[in-house]
Amino acid sequence: MFDFLETFNAPLREMFVTSLWETVVMVGISGLAGALIGVPLGVWLRLTDHGGVRQNAPVNRTVGGIVNAVRSTPFIILLVAIIPFTRFITGSSIGTAAAVVPLTIAAAPFVARLVETALREVDHGLVEAAQAMGASTWQIVWKVLLPEALPGIVAALTITLVSLTGYSAMAGAIGGGGLGDLGIRYGYQRFLPEVMAAVVLVLIVFVQVLQSAGDWLVRRIRH
């Protein structure tokens, strides 16, 4: 008991709070930025896909190939590979702000594919009916595709935030801050397994909160 209290002294508890906040910031900002890029990208992939409103096979294959290339790159490699770009954007390659850049790049294609999948589930008859009434492409997107696919899109964003939580912990390996950085520096490098266990426990609770909130929102939208 005394060893536990000695390990988790006031400075370490303060670092836990700071690291949790850094994780929230990284996941929140990169999730939002990834959604702002990924949702339109997913819509574009669906529109240009076979049977889409703006079917265009060459464009779809090109954009899809880029999306697949980024998605297939392991995140730890992506972190290192774009360090020059990260330094150009944020002025540094370490810290919370720097970690947001690769997290956003990793999130955007992930969101795009999930959104594309959600849009494919929309009844094509609704799209055909809108076209028969003379609706434009953007009217079909805003009044048919997105409203009908909204529960699936929210579920996709929830999955993305959960994945970003794991990625943010991985970013701690190169000084990205957050709970991952705390776990590596204190739990691994200083041989404090109780710190590592506490970091894992906090991350589990954090992910559970995200998933529960996303599931609740999906149920509300479906009703």
Side-chain angles (χ1 to χ4, degrees), residues 84-193:
F85 179 69
T86 300
R87 190 179 291 116
F88 173 76
I89 296 295
T90 65
S92 174
S93 60
I94 60 174
T96 302
V100 169
V101 177
L103 285 171
T104 299
I105 293 175
F110 188 74
V111 172
R113 283 303 187 190
L114 291 176
V115 169
E116 181 190 13
T117 301
L119 293 174
R120 282 179 178 168
E121 299 299 319
V122 176
D123 186 358
H124 191 65
L126 295 174
V127 177
E128 291 179 340
Q131 287 178 309
M133 290 186 289
S136 66
T137 299
W138 291 113
Q139 285 175 324
I140 292 174
V141 170
W142 286 106
K143 297 182 181 297
V144 179
L145 291 177
L146 290 180
E148 290 294 323
L150 189 57
I153 293 174
V154 172
L157 294 178
T158 302
I159 294 172
T160 302
L161 291 176
V162 170
S163 298
L164 285 174
T165 302
Y167 288 164
S168 70
M170 197 182 303
I174 62 168
L179 289 169
D181 181 48
L182 180 66
I184 290 172
R185 285 192 295 116
Y186 284 84
Y188 176 70
Q189 295 177 349
R190 300 192 183 187
F191 304 102
L192 295 174

